[in-house]
Amino acid sequence: MTETTENKDLVQEQQDVQADTTEENVEQAEVQEETAELSIEEQYEAKLAELQAKLEDEENRHLRLRADFDNMRRRQQLDREAAEKYRAQSLLSDLLPVLDNFERALQVETTSEEAASIIKGIDMVYRSLLEATEKEGLQVIKAEGEPFDPNVHQAVMQEQDSEKETGIVLRELQKGYLLKDRVLRPTMVSVNE
């Protein structure tokens, strides 16, 4: 019986060792699960931080795109307003030599009644043309007797007049015109030294 008892003891010891091993395995598995849970939580936190950063980048990108769109819309509006405001610029620029020629024709002295009636007709056409251009915003730049302004005057000569101050426009050689607030053609002038 001793052998049987010893066998039983041996079997019991093996069962105890297996139980201990099983308990250790269970404990190790629990520790691994906790470690796995922590690493999963850490992974989720890392993923969450990454997604938040992406979201912030996309929000910033969206805001920049919206600001660019607003700026583009504003620029287009300003361009449309400028195009509307100065729509007649090309036509009026082409009409300036016509106005100059009318003025030259009106300066011709006439001796006959027939020529005087022609000049009177030219004057009527000139005035109606001038009136139509003024409706579109064409204005004559005042020059003679005014201080020289390089923004609206083009000095082509200098003369000396002791009765007038230096830098005063003495003569207008060619009329200049403004279209609303834009210089269409500067006035050619002679300036006092």
Side-chain angles (χ1 to χ4, degrees):
M1 288 237 174
T2 34
E3 260 185 41
T4 315
T5 315
E6 283 182 9
N7 281 343
K8 284 184 181 178
D9 286 339
L10 188 58
V11 169
Q12 184 63 34
E13 274 182 31
Q14 285 177 350
Q15 287 176 349
D16 288 344
V17 167
Q18 284 179 351
D20 287 343
T21 305
T22 305
E23 284 179 22
E24 286 177 6
N25 288 342
V26 169
E27 286 177 7
Q28 285 179 354
E30 287 176 0
V31 168
Q32 285 177 351
E33 284 179 18
E34 286 178 12
T35 306
E37 285 179 15
L38 288 177
S39 66
I40 289 175
E41 287 177 10
E42 289 173 353
Q43 288 174 359
Y44 283 141
E45 287 175 5
K47 188 70 173 175
L48 180 63
E50 180 185 334
L51 290 175
Q52 285 175 336
K54 281 184 179 179
L55 177 63
E56 191 174 304
D57 287 345
E58 288 300 317
E59 285 176 346
N60 288 337
R61 184 172 169 264
H62 172 74
L63 290 174
R64 282 192 303 274
L65 285 173
R66 186 168 179 173
D68 288 344
F69 179 75
D70 289 343
N71 289 338
M72 183 184 69
R73 190 167 8 121
R74 216 174 297 122
R75 270 194 308 271
Q76 285 179 343
Q77 179 66 26
L78 291 174
D79 290 346
R80 275 195 303 271
E81 288 171 2
E84 176 63 28
K85 185 176 183 179
Y86 302 111
R87 72 185 186 285
Q89 181 173 346
S90 177
L91 175 64
L92 291 174
S93 293
D94 293 341
L95 287 177
L96 293 182
V98 175
L99 291 174
D100 293 339
N101 289 333
F102 270 116
E103 289 171 1
R104 285 187 203 103
L106 292 172
Q107 290 174 354
V108 173
E109 298 210 13
T110 58
T111 53
S112 69
E113 192 175 307
E114 198 173 292
S117 66
I118 291 174
I119 294 292
K120 187 176 181 181
I122 290 174
D123 184 48
M124 289 172 58
V125 172
Y126 170 71
R127 290 195 187 285
S128 63
L129 180 61
L130 197 58
E131 209 173 282
T133 59
E134 285 173 353
K135 284 181 184 176
E136 287 298 319
L138 189 70
Q139 303 166 357
V140 175
I141 297 172
K142 295 180 183 175
E144 205 167 308
E146 298 287 322
F148 176 75
D149 181 359
N151 296 316
V152 293
H153 300 139
Q154 180 179 356
V156 292
M157 294 175 56
Q158 282 190 334
E159 296 177 330
Q160 179 112 17
D161 187 352
S162 58
E163 295 177 10
K164 298 198 178 180
E165 296 178 26
T166 303
I168 296 294
V169 174
L170 296 177
R171 285 189 304 145
E172 178 180 270
L173 304 172
Q174 183 184 36
K175 278 189 179 179
Y177 295 93
L178 291 172
L179 174 58
K180 302 192 176 169
D181 57 354
R182 185 181 285 180
V183 176
L184 209 53
R185 181 175 78 186
T187 304
M188 287 187 187
V189 296
S190 173
V191 182
N192 193 21
E193 292 180 343

